[in-house]
C-alpha cells in the first residue's frame, strides 16, 4: 500500500460526500420536495442545507489538506504534478467560491424570507441556490471525471 493511501482515501470520501450530496439533492430530493406545499418545502430545504453544509465544510477543509499532502508525497510538489492536477485544484477553487456564495449570501437571505413567511422571496432565493448548486454539481462531476481519467494533458 502506498504511503499516501490514507490521504487518498480521505480525499475520495470528502469528494464523494460533497459531489454525491449535490447529486442526491438535485436528482432525488428536489423532485420529491416539489410535491410539498410551499412553506413545508422551503422549510425542508433550510433544514437540508443546515445539515448538509456541515458535511460540505468538512469536505472543504479535508480536500485541500489531503490534496496537498498527496501532491507532495506523489509528485514532490506543484511543479512535478501533471496538468490535470492543476486543473482539479482550479475547479476546487471555483466550487469553493460557489459554495461560499451560497453559504454567505444566498442562504441567509432565504432564511430571512422563510422566517418572515415571505414565500415568494424565499422561493426566489431557493431558485438562485438551486442554479448555483447545479453549476457546482457540473464542476464536481467534471473534477471526478478528470480524476478518474487522469489524462496526460
Amino acid at each position: 500500500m502506498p504511503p499516501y493511501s490514507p490521504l487518498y482515501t480521505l480525499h475520495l470520501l470528502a469528494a464523494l460526500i460533497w459531489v454525491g450530496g449535490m447529486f442526491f439533492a438535485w436528482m432525488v430530493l428536489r423532485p420529491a420536495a416539489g410535491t410539498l406545499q410551499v412553506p413545508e418545502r422551503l422549510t425542508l430545504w433550510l433544514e437540508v442545507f443546515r445539515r448538509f453544509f456541515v458535511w460540505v465544510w468538512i469536505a472543504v477543509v479535508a480536500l485541500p489538506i489531503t490534496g496537498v499532502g498527496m501532491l507532495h508525497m506523489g509528485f514532490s510538489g506543484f511543479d512535478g504534478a501533471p496538468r490535470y492536477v492543476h486543473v482539479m485544484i482550479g475547479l476546487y477553487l471555483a466550487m469553493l467560491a460557489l459554495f461560499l456564495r451560497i453559504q454567505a449570501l444566498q442562504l441567509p437571505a432565504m432564511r430571512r424570507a422563510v422566517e418572515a413567511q415571505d414565500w415568494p422571496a424565499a422561493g426566489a432565493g431557493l431558485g438562485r441556490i438551486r442554479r448555483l448548486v447545479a453549476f457546482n454539481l457540473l464542476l464536481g462531476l467534471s473534477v471526478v471525471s478528470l480524476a478518474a481519467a487522469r489524462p496526460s494533458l
Side-chain angles (χ1 to χ4, degrees):
M1 177 165 56
Y4 62 84
S5 291
L7 289 176
Y8 184 67
T9 301
L10 289 173
H11 197 77
L12 284 177
L13 288 172
L16 176 68
I17 288 166
W18 190 3
V19 177
M22 288 188 296
F23 184 86
F24 173 79
W26 185 261
M27 300 302 291
V28 178
L29 184 57
R30 183 183 58 85
T35 63
L36 299 173
Q37 296 298 314
V38 171
E40 290 83 16
R41 180 173 60 240
L42 294 169
T43 303
L44 169 71
W45 276 109
L46 282 179
E47 185 63 18
V48 167
F49 291 138
R50 184 185 70 78
R51 292 168 183 257
F52 177 55
F53 284 0
V54 169
W55 291 101
V56 175
W57 275 112
I58 293 168
V60 159
V61 171
L63 285 167
I65 291 170
T66 57
V68 169
M70 288 188 303
L71 189 67
H72 287 288
M73 291 176 85
F75 303 113
S76 300
F78 289 96
D79 290 340
R83 187 170 293 141
Y84 78 88
V85 172
H86 292 256
V87 172
M88 288 171 55
I89 293 167
L91 290 172
Y92 163 81
L93 292 173
M95 290 179 67
L96 175 61
L98 287 172
F99 169 67
L100 291 175
R101 179 178 175 88
I102 292 168
Q103 179 75 55
L105 301 174
Q106 306 300 326
L107 190 57
M110 182 186 162
R111 185 176 294 111
R112 285 189 301 273
V114 167
E115 289 168 358
Q117 296 184 355
D118 183 353
W119 306 121
L126 179 59
R128 286 187 291 275
I129 292 170
R130 186 175 60 237
R131 286 186 292 278
L132 291 172
V133 169
F135 190 63
N136 227 9
L137 175 58
L138 290 175
L139 291 176
L141 292 172
S142 298
V143 171
V144 170
S145 299
L146 189 60
R150 296 183 177 157
S152 57
L153 299 174

